[in-house]
Amino acid sequence: MLECATPTTRMNAIDFQTLRTDIDRWSAELGFQRVGVTGVELGDDEAHLLNWLDAGFHGQMDYMARHGLRRSRPAELHAGTVRVISARMDYAPPALGNAWHVLDDDEKGYVARYAFGRDYHKVLRHRLQKLADRIAEVTGPFGHRVFTDSAPVLEKALARNAGLGWIGKHTLLLSRDAGSWFFLGEIYTDLPLPIDTPASAHCGTCTRCIEICPTRAIVAPYKLDARRCISYLTIELRGSIPEELRAPIGNRIFGCDDCQLICPWNKFVQSTPEADFAPRHGLDGAALVDLFAWSEREFLDRTEGMAIRRTGYEGWLRNIAVALGNAQRSERVIAALQSRAEHPSALVREHVAWALQQHAQRRDRAGAAASRIAASE
């Protein structure tokens, strides 16, 4: 009579060093640029997280506090976890080169480059599950769970510990060969894989990311006040954007890339080969008035399967109203704003009224200046 192998017997039969090498090969075949493996110790990062929460820097993102310490203790989020496989997938689009041109053109809407194409959550989660399936072909069924910015996970700290890069002064992960234009995903597992060496930091004395932030959200090196961050204001915030932060937002209607665009480590980043991340609907430089004209049905249809839908239709109009308020006065801009002045949403009406007021004040100032010049002649 044959005896079935116990989980312990099966685990002892696995060559984990070879498996680790295979994971590198399989992940590359699945479109990941790099993977690393780390343990589950995040003590220092847990302390940093608690201090950040205590300072209230998370704003309305209550889930950051609600999840408690599961974010910094992987085994409490998924029982049995002893290792984390961290994976990197690059997303820099061909349109990256025109980013500054779009930011300098106040008639266009700037969309964070990660949101151009298909929702990265869907892409990475699908690929990571395929990687887990390949591992299971060697190990048999094993304990695991796949994450892509979809649960309380300290993904940047885990990626740093897995050797994928270091956390920069802007709080994003940086890599020598890929800058910061990449997504991260994880597989929590009970497999005792060999652990990689954590990455060292290479920001040096550079503070360009801190200096360029339009809303001064990076309040100190490695410390971000999300309440001032344009990504938070245009995506996570559900209510009114604070008036004092509206002008600095400029024409950024979904997220912000300034701290990445200015970073020296991003100077030589290559465009992604992933078709899923290619720009859709001309969002790499569309006219604000055209985007503002989208109906709710058009917004839902055109953003289906995209991360940009997260802001919601009201948030979309709110953000564009602010950008139009920051644009140069023109008949098209005024007409677009007036077309939404009686919108059913109080949130939209408020931001449209603000934008129209900005243009009225500029018109009055210009008129007063012209009168002074005429009087002096």
Side-chain angles (χ1 to χ4, degrees):
M1 180 177 176
L2 295 175
E3 294 184 359
C4 294
T6 65
T8 301
T9 302
R10 191 166 61 244
M11 195 75 77
N12 290 337
I14 299 171
D15 182 342
F16 286 105
Q17 191 62 57
T18 299
L19 177 59
R20 175 66 187 88
T21 301
D22 288 340
I23 288 173
D24 279 335
R25 175 167 52 84
W26 296 333
S27 65
E29 292 170 357
L30 289 168
F32 293 103
Q33 278 65 49
R34 190 174 172 190
V35 295
V37 178
T38 184
V40 296
E41 273 300 318
L42 292 167
D44 291 342
D45 298 286
E46 179 177 288
H48 180 79
L49 170 64
L50 293 175
N51 289 334
W52 186 76
L53 291 170
D54 287 342
F57 287 158
H58 58 301
Q60 291 183 10
M61 295 184 290
D62 296 335
Y63 59 86
M64 295 291 296
R66 188 168 60 248
H67 290 141
L69 298 179
R70 287 186 298 168
R71 189 176 298 274
S72 53
R73 300 181 184 184
E76 292 187 13
L77 179 60
H78 184 67
T81 298
V82 296
R83 296 288 187 271
V84 175
I85 301 171
S86 182
R88 184 194 103 204
M89 183 176 287
D90 299 350
Y91 72 82
L96 192 59
N98 80 337
W100 289 121
H101 297 295
V102 175
L103 285 170
D104 288 338
D105 187 342
D106 63 15
E107 292 185 354
K108 295 180 178 179
Y110 187 89
V111 174
R113 273 36 196 160
Y114 81 84
F116 276 168
R118 189 181 179 207
D119 188 342
Y120 67 94
H121 297 87
K122 302 175 185 295
V123 177
L124 268 72
R125 190 158 50 236
H126 178 68
R127 305 280 182 91
L128 286 168
Q129 188 55 57
K130 281 191 171 184
L131 178 57
D133 293 342
R134 294 290 296 273
I135 294 171
E137 291 176 6
V138 172
T139 65
F142 70 101
H144 73 281
R145 187 175 171 186
V146 169
F147 299 104
T148 307
D149 194 21
S150 54
V153 174
L154 286 182
E155 61 177 10
K156 289 177 289 188
L158 290 166
R160 176 204 60 213
N161 291 352
L164 269 59
W166 71 94
I167 298 175
K169 293 177 182 177
H170 48 17
T171 75
L172 300 175
L173 198 76
L174 280 167
S175 165
R176 280 178 175 271
D177 64 329
S180 58
W181 300 101
F182 53 78
F183 299 121
L184 295 171
E186 301 79 36
I187 301 176
Y188 280 28
T189 177
D190 62 357
L191 298 175
L193 293 161
I195 292 176
D196 291 297
T197 302
S200 55
H202 300 281
C203 283
T205 59
C206 180
T207 56
R208 294 184 191 182
C209 59
I210 298 173
E211 294 159 2
I212 201 171
C213 180
T215 54
R216 299 295 180 260
I218 308 172
V219 295
Y222 315 107
K223 188 177 294 184
L224 177 75
D225 185 346
R227 297 168 300 182
R228 301 185 63 86
C229 178
I230 294 175
S231 288
Y232 169 83
L233 295 170
T234 58
I235 303 171
E236 299 292 340
L237 182 66
R238 294 307 174 190
S240 299
I241 295 174
E243 286 199 27
E244 69 273 15
L245 297 177
R246 293 177 189 178
I249 285 175
N251 63 343
R252 300 165 185 83
I253 60 173
F254 188 91
C256 180
D257 290 325
D258 288 38
C259 62
Q260 297 192 84
L261 292 169
I262 200 68
C263 179
W265 288 106
N266 279 321
K267 189 174 183 180
F268 302 108
V269 170
Q270 300 298 309
S271 299
T272 178
E274 288 292 337
D276 279 331
F277 300 147
R280 301 180 180 182
H281 311 300
L283 288 173
D284 51 341
L288 287 167
V289 293
D290 293 339
L291 298 175
F292 202 52
W294 285 6
S295 66
E296 185 169 13
R297 174 45 53 194
E298 286 175 310
F299 172 79
L300 293 175
D301 287 346
R302 294 176 183 180
T303 61
E304 184 174 2
M306 299 176 69
I308 204 169
R309 184 181 279 197
R310 180 173 176 79
T311 191
Y313 184 58
E314 287 187 23
W316 177 250
L317 294 180
R318 174 200 63 183
N319 298 344
I320 299 175
V322 170
L324 286 170
N326 292 326
Q328 290 295 313
R329 182 182 176 85
S330 71
E331 291 185 7
R332 283 189 78 205
V333 167
I334 299 302
L337 287 167
Q338 290 175 338
S339 72
R340 300 288 190 184
E342 302 300 324
H343 193 276
S345 166
L347 182 69
V348 175
R349 292 198 305 272
E350 175 201 341
H351 289 75
V352 167
W354 174 86
L356 287 169
Q357 183 183 43
Q358 302 310 298
H359 286 289
Q361 290 174 349
R362 290 190 202 113
R363 179 198 60 205
D364 293 344
R365 286 196 296 269
S371 297
R372 288 195 298 272
I373 292 172
S376 65
E377 291 179 348

